[in-house]
Amino acid sequence: MPSEFALIRRHFTRPARHTDLAVGDDAALIRPRAGMQLAISTDMLVAGTHFFANTDPEDLGWKTLAVNVSDIAAMGAEPRWVVLAASLPHADEAWIEAFARGFFACCEAFGIDAIGGDTTRGPLNLCPTIFGEVPTGTAVTRSGARPGDDLWVSGAPGRAALGLADLRGEIQLAAANRDDCLAALQRPQPRVALGLALRGLANAMLDVSDGLFGDLSHILELSGVGAEIDEAALPIATLTAACGDAARAFAACTAGGDDYELLFTAPADRRGDIEAISQNLPLPLHRIGHITAQTEQLSLRTRDGQLRPATARGYDHFGRDA
């Protein structure tokens, strides 16, 4: 059986592009570019909580890094470096090789150097820490939303939730939509290009990991504002076609999470700029409501024009999955 260090040399040591000292020493040495701040985030994935134990390891390798890249994208930053800590039940080299293939495919896709980490025996647990760069003072945070801002979301949040429900046997997705929903769950696409394009344009931003309404509540709390969502503007038509159930599609879109789309606010007079970004990427961007002055109050404008309170539902690791 290969040693810990042999596994690291064989599967996790790759040439570095923008690192002074990478894998092999007690610590890595990195040098941020002049005029840049470091943006740092870590997101843990645990078997049985974040993924099925029998998940394809190559897909898992991609997703392990991608969900962390998404956090950097949500700050309007550029991902640059990652370290990976992992506990593994045993040294299954075929599994590790496939995992590394997916992990480094994501590194290549986003120009990231893997610069170190740690491995140990234990329950399957994967914990990257990612480092990005953003010009000093330009990071987009959760606290900048202003009354009157438009509220936008990228892509079609809810596809991953439907994919998970299909895998659990709770629903049977239409054949034409199943692969797309499973890809959203297993191979999420961090919106790095969008995050960079929105720097200097978006007032507040985050990635949707625990449900659109639940994650929106973080912006409302930190910005001291409220929001009104237009039900008719939510991108649920494709979700409804996939599962054949409008109520489930609404729940997947607003509370499902795990899609890693970007939710952001921007001044109403910048709509043309945002529509241009949508066309240039290309990536659908949906204007789903606006920010209000009513502190932390989330409301839903229903299709019949009624305004009612909306529950900020989402996944909570220490509470209930609403």
Side-chain angles (χ1 to χ4, degrees):
M1 180 179 295
S3 70
E4 172 190 358
F5 302 106
L7 288 172
I8 292 171
R9 284 194 301 271
R10 190 173 303 164
H11 299 294
F12 293 98
T13 303
R14 306 289 173 93
R17 289 155 290 199
H18 39 255
T19 303
D20 292 339
L21 181 64
V23 177
D25 219 301
D26 288 306
L29 300 176
I30 60 176
R31 188 183 318 183
R33 291 170 291 185
M36 293 286 189
Q37 287 178 294
L38 285 177
I40 305 169
S41 181
T42 188
D43 224 336
M44 185 185 305
L45 278 74
V46 179
T49 299
H50 300 97
F51 60 92
F52 296 116
N54 64 350
T55 296
D56 177 81
E58 187 169 345
D59 286 343
L60 182 59
W62 174 280
K63 185 170 183 175
T64 295
L65 181 53
V67 302
N68 284 267
V69 174
S70 182
D71 285 332
I72 298 300
M75 302 293 290
E78 178 185 356
R80 299 274 281 172
W81 302 277
V82 66
V83 297
L84 174 64
S87 66
L88 307 172
H90 47 270
D92 180 340
E93 194 156 7
W95 189 98
I96 293 169
E97 181 181 8
F99 175 88
R101 190 163 55 244
F103 187 85
F104 281 101
C106 195
C107 284
E108 289 297 321
F110 296 100
I112 299 167
D113 281 354
I115 59 172
D118 189 29
T119 59
T120 189
R121 183 186 296 272
L124 184 54
N125 181 0
L126 307 158
C127 187
T129 298
I130 191 164
F131 303 77
E133 289 181 326
V134 61
T136 300
T138 67
V140 187
T141 68
R142 301 177 177 188
S143 61
R146 304 167 187 165
D149 278 359
D150 289 330
L151 183 62
W152 299 79
V153 69
S154 66
R159 294 179 301 142
L162 292 185
L164 178 60
D166 183 273
L167 289 178
R168 286 175 167 169
E170 298 169 1
I171 60 173
Q172 184 173 355
L173 292 172
N177 304 94
R178 187 173 189 269
D179 286 349
D180 177 63
C181 291
L182 292 180
L185 175 67
Q186 297 166 340
R187 288 256 180 168
Q189 299 299 311
R191 303 304 189 185
V192 174
L194 175 60
L196 294 175
L198 289 172
R199 197 167 63 204
L201 178 57
N203 284 334
M205 183 160 59
L206 50 65
D207 67 333
V208 180
S209 57
D210 296 322
L212 193 155
F213 281 9
D215 285 330
L216 173 57
S217 69
H218 302 312
I219 288 179
L220 304 188
E221 177 184 2
L222 291 176
S223 296
V225 296
E228 181 181 314
I229 303 293
D230 181 0
E231 183 180 12
L234 291 170
I236 64 172
T238 300
L239 305 180
T240 303
C243 69
D245 182 338
R248 180 177 280 273
F250 177 83
C253 178
T254 60
D258 221 18
D259 295 276
Y260 304 96
E261 297 292 351
L262 294 185
L263 178 68
F264 61 96
T265 80
D269 62 6
R270 304 301 297 272
R271 290 175 187 172
D273 296 318
I274 294 172
E275 289 164 358
I277 290 171
S278 178
Q279 292 177 358
N280 290 338
L281 284 178
L283 174 66
L285 300 177
H286 309 280
R287 182 162 52 89
I288 60 170
H290 64 273
I291 298 298
T292 71
Q294 297 167 304
T295 304
E296 296 186 52
Q297 182 172 318
L298 178 60
S299 302
L300 181 71
R301 178 75 64 180
T302 61
R303 293 178 184 276
D304 62 4
Q306 300 297 311
L307 189 66
R308 61 178 179 82
T311 302
R313 298 180 302 166
Y315 187 79
D316 180 348
H317 288 283
F318 297 99
R320 294 185 58 197
D321 182 354

